[in-house]
């Protein structure tokens, strides 16, 4: 962690979009994983509000079910995923009656992206739900429903993508599926959810098995933040027996 | 002689009065025309209604829009103009992007909402969050959205570009939902 005294003042923060990024933990890829679940605490990060063509910037915390492509297993660009979480899309300065700019969201890769044959840049689909808004710690679930062979994405029990991901992942996604739990920002000056004094807890980290039951995620590998403003705590065993961790921005 | 002078003076006064009146009318007409031009340029042009292509794309995503009574295109446009700053604050990805289509409609999404069947081995049973909900549906073209990558590319943020439909509460401008299509 960067000592607080050495940090640049707020006005010196950079809105360079190449300096944001993703940090969190991911599991091994397993054929016995059919979904994932995590409970993420809610925090209200600030954004730097960079303007690049259109106004932009975001800060998110999410749970993801991912796999390699079944047909292009060595092409990282063809990775498949379905994820759900919360995202802030507007800076506090523009919001007179916070919290606005805060949404549940879900994103999944279209079939053409996984098969690496999209004809345009429309490679994923994203849904943002503004009503109800995220305001508290809730469970986020992504799992394959056996009855319709579709991956569904839930925020606080709300199915965000109508009728689930619109294709059967069998034969499209590789059979080894992975759970990821992470925070993400667009620019260095975007705050990731959580602060030193109010860290964002990720807990109840679980994976769905084929019979619909859930098992605690046994092993997690860290993807540390690239930027010193952000911190990723170590995993530990929570009171219920599963792994937990914290993530935050190094501000009070 | 005097009579001629008086006549001439009256004539000049009459001509002067006519000229003044003409000038006043001309200026007034000109001001009115300018004002009219300014009003015309300030008034938002009504956007086209959602196209059949857009409606079909939404239907393919499980989103149904039914006609709603009431607003003219101009009324919709005026309403949207009043709400646009709220939209920009709530969903900043569309700030600076021009809306291209708009319709007032009744929104129903049967597959989006609380899941009543929590057992993944059983069929989904959704309680729709939006059922005949009065909305303003606004389409934005070529919006830059976040691409939230999976491992092993957990490093640089990236984006993708897509058309986005935004559903607004017509009374408050609250962004109820947005989706790339």
């Amino acid at each position: 962690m960067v000592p607080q005294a050495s940090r640049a003042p707020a006005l010196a923060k950079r809105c360079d979009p190449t300096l944001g990024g993703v940090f969190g933990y991911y599991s091994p890829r397993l054929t016995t994983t059919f979904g994932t679940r995590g409970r993420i605490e809610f925090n209200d990060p600030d954004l730097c509000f960079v303007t690049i063509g259109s106004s932009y910037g975001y800060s998110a915390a999410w749970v993801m079910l991912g796999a390699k492509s079944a047909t292009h297993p060595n092409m990282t660009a063809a990775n498949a995923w379905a994820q759900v979480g919360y995202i802030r899309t507007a800076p506090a300065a523009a919001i007179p009656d916070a919290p606005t700019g805060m949404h549940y969201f879900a994103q999944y890769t279209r079939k053409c992206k996984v098969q690496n044959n999209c004809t345009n840049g429309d490679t994923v689909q994203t849904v943002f739900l503004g009503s109800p808004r995220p305001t508290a710690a809730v469970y986020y679930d992504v799992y394959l429903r056996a009855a319709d062979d579709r991956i569904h994405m839930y925020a606080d029990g709300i199915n965000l993508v109508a009728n689930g991901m619109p294709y059967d992942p069998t034969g499209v996604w590789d059979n080894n599926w992975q759970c990821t739990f992470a925070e993400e920002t667009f620019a260095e000056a975007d705050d990731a959810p959580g602060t030193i004094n109010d860290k964002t807890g990720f807990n109840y980290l679980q994976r769905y098995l084929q019979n619909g039951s859930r098992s605690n995620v046994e092993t997690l590998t860290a993807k540390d933040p690239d930027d010193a403003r952000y911190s990723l705590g170590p995993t530990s065993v929570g009171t219920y027996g599963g792994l937990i961790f914290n993530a935050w921005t190094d501000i009070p | 002689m005097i009579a001629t002078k008086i006549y001439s003076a009256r004539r000049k006064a009459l001509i002067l009065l006519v000229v003044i009146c003409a000038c006043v009318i001309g200026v007034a007409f000109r001001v009115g025309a300018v004002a009219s031009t300014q009003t015309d340029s300030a008034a938002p042009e009504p956007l086209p209604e959602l196209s059949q292509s857009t409606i079909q794309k939404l239907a393919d995503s499980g989103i149904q829009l039914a006609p709603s009574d009431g607003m003219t295109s101009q009324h919709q446009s005026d309403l949207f103009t009043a709400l646009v700053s709220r939209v920009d604050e709530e969903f900043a990805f569309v700030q600076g992007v021009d809306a291209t289509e708009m319709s007032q409609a009744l929104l129903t999404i049967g597959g989006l909402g609380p899941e009543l069947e929590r057992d993944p081995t059983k069929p989904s049973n959704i309680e729709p969050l939006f059922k005949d909900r009065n909305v303003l549906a606004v389409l934005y073209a070529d919006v830059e959205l976040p691409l939230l990558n999976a491992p092993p590319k957990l490093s640089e943020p990236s984006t993708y570009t897509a058309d986005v439909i935004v559903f607004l509460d017509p009374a408050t401008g609250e962004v109820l939902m947005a989706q790339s299509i």
Side-chain angles (χ1 to χ4, degrees):
Chain A
M1 183 188 304
V2 177
Q4 192 64 19
S6 70
R7 289 189 60 243
L11 289 177
K13 292 193 300 187
R14 297 177 61 189
C15 275
D16 189 329
T18 65
L19 295 176
V22 189
F23 59 102
Y25 285 92
Y26 57 90
S27 76
R29 292 188 173 97
L30 298 171
T31 57
T32 54
T33 295
F34 286 78
T36 185
R37 160 182 259 213
R39 182 175 177 270
I40 308 176
E41 290 180 351
F42 175 77
N43 271 302
D44 197 8
D46 198 8
L47 304 181
C48 67
F49 208 42
V50 60
T51 298
I52 311 158
S54 58
S55 297
Y56 211 73
Y58 63 80
S59 178
W62 47 257
V63 167
M64 175 188 281
L65 185 65
K68 288 186 175 181
S69 167
T71 50
H72 295 80
N74 296 320
M75 295 182 67
T76 56
N79 275 342
W81 70 80
Q83 69 188 150
V84 63
Y86 66 83
I87 187 167
R88 183 157 204 181
T89 66
I95 301 169
D97 53 350
T100 58
M102 187 66 75
H103 306 269
Y104 288 124
F105 82 96
Q107 184 177 86
Y108 67 87
T109 47
R110 295 187 189 274
K111 191 174 181 178
C112 70
K113 174 174 173 60
V114 186
Q115 296 182 325
N116 204 29
N117 57 11
C118 289
T119 55
N120 56 37
D122 195 7
T123 55
V124 303
Q125 182 164 52
T126 314
V127 174
F128 302 88
L129 189 66
S131 180
R133 302 180 187 288
T135 56
V138 299
Y139 290 99
Y140 297 89
D141 297 80
V142 184
Y143 57 77
L144 180 72
R145 267 193 181 272
D148 57 14
D149 282 328
R150 297 289 185 269
I151 292 175
H152 293 252
M153 289 151 265
Y154 298 96
D156 195 22
I158 299 171
N159 190 36
L160 291 189
V161 177
N163 305 317
M165 195 175 74
Y167 62 90
D168 182 351
T170 306
V172 181
W173 289 30
D174 180 79
N175 289 334
N176 294 276
W177 290 5
Q178 182 176 53
C179 312
T180 307
F181 312 94
E183 294 194 344
E184 180 165 357
T185 64
F186 184 66
E188 180 189 36
D190 292 333
D191 292 341
T195 65
I196 292 172
N197 297 325
D198 186 12
K199 297 171 181 173
T200 299
F202 287 69
N203 45 45
Y204 294 94
L205 309 181
Q206 297 182 309
R207 62 192 184 94
Y208 282 86
L209 308 180
Q210 189 169 19
N211 64 4
S213 66
R214 292 190 300 269
S215 169
N216 290 331
V217 173
E218 299 89 352
T219 306
L220 287 172
T221 301
K223 165 61 182 74
D224 289 316
D226 295 324
D227 192 286
R229 292 189 67 235
Y230 309 131
S231 288
L232 180 67
T235 58
S236 61
V237 177
T239 54
Y240 66 97
L243 294 175
I244 62 174
F245 71 90
N246 290 323
W248 66 96
T249 304
D250 287 325
I251 54 176
Chain B
M1 185 73 166
I2 293 174
T4 305
K5 280 187 176 179
I6 290 173
Y7 175 76
S8 178
R10 282 181 178 171
R11 191 179 177 193
K12 284 180 181 174
L14 186 61
I15 291 171
L16 186 63
L17 184 63
V18 168
V19 168
I20 290 172
C21 287
C23 288
V24 168
I25 291 170
V27 168
F29 181 78
R30 191 176 176 82
V31 168
V34 169
S36 174
T37 302
Q38 287 173 342
T39 302
D40 288 347
S41 65
E45 285 289 323
L47 290 170
E49 296 280 335
L50 293 187
S51 66
Q52 281 304 311
S53 166
T54 301
I55 291 171
Q56 185 58 52
K57 281 185 182 176
L58 294 174
D60 292 344
S61 294
I63 298 172
Q64 306 294 330
L65 292 175
S68 176
D69 295 335
M71 290 189 199
T72 62
S73 294
Q74 187 62 58
H75 188 183
Q76 287 177 25
S77 184
D78 292 345
L79 180 61
F80 180 63
T81 300
L83 299 177
V84 71
S85 62
R86 173 75 187 262
V87 178
D88 287 348
E89 287 178 2
E90 290 232 331
F91 193 64
F93 297 133
V94 300
Q95 190 167 98
V97 181
D98 290 332
T100 55
E101 298 174 14
M102 178 167 51
S103 292
Q104 185 198 14
L106 299 177
L107 171 68
T108 298
I109 311 178
L112 189 156
E115 176 65 75
L116 303 180
E117 179 51 71
R118 298 299 180 97
D119 184 347
T121 65
K122 295 179 179 175
S124 176
N125 181 16
I126 300 295
E127 179 183 1
L129 200 58
F130 303 113
K131 191 172 183 180
D132 292 330
R133 174 73 184 260
N134 186 29
V135 299
L136 204 55
V138 185
L139 181 72
Y140 295 84
D142 298 330
V143 179
E144 195 178 8
L145 294 170
L147 189 65
L148 302 156
N149 285 322
K153 294 190 72 180
L154 286 175
S155 54
E156 291 185 4
S158 53
T159 62
Y160 75 107
T161 301
D163 293 347
V164 172
I165 188 82
V166 179
F167 298 113
L168 308 176
D169 183 321
T172 65
E174 179 185 5
V175 175
L176 302 172
M177 181 195 162
Q179 178 171 322
S180 61
I181 62 172

